[in-house]
Amino acid sequence: MKEHVYLLTLAIAFGTVILVFGMRAYASVQQAKARIASENSYRLAAESAAAAQAETAAALGAIQASLLDMQTRMASVEKLLKDVG
């Protein structure tokens, strides 16, 4: 066997092994990037849900205050009607 054919065969074999490991490393890096992007999107969704929950709680507090005011007024109207009637 000629020397250059032997060296070429070795280079192809080792090159293939290096290429496979390189591709696996690249795939691992891409998976990590995708996982980070996914975690970031979940974090953003959780933050927006928390903000919406805070807004809803504030609105509920305002509604409860308004309802309490209406109950107070209704009680005074009922008392006035009982006194008149």
Side-chain angles (χ1 to χ4, degrees):
M1 184 183 293
K2 294 185 179 181
E3 184 178 328
H4 68 283
V5 174
Y6 178 72
L7 292 177
L8 180 63
T9 304
L10 285 177
I12 289 174
F14 288 132
T16 302
V17 170
I18 290 172
L19 181 66
V20 168
F21 282 113
M23 289 171 59
R24 288 185 65 186
Y26 179 75
S28 296
V29 168
Q30 294 303 317
Q31 285 178 349
K33 286 181 181 179
R35 190 176 309 118
I36 289 171
S38 175
E39 290 172 358
N40 285 340
S41 66
Y42 284 133
R43 182 182 51 81
L44 291 175
E47 287 176 358
S48 66
Q53 186 178 9
E55 290 177 13
T56 303
L60 181 60
I63 291 171
Q64 286 176 340
S66 176
L67 183 59
L68 181 61
D69 182 48
M70 289 173 59
Q71 286 175 341
T72 304
R73 288 181 184 187
M74 182 63 81
S76 66
V77 168
E78 287 176 353
K79 183 179 178 192
L80 179 68
L81 288 175
K82 283 182 183 178
D83 290 343
V84 171

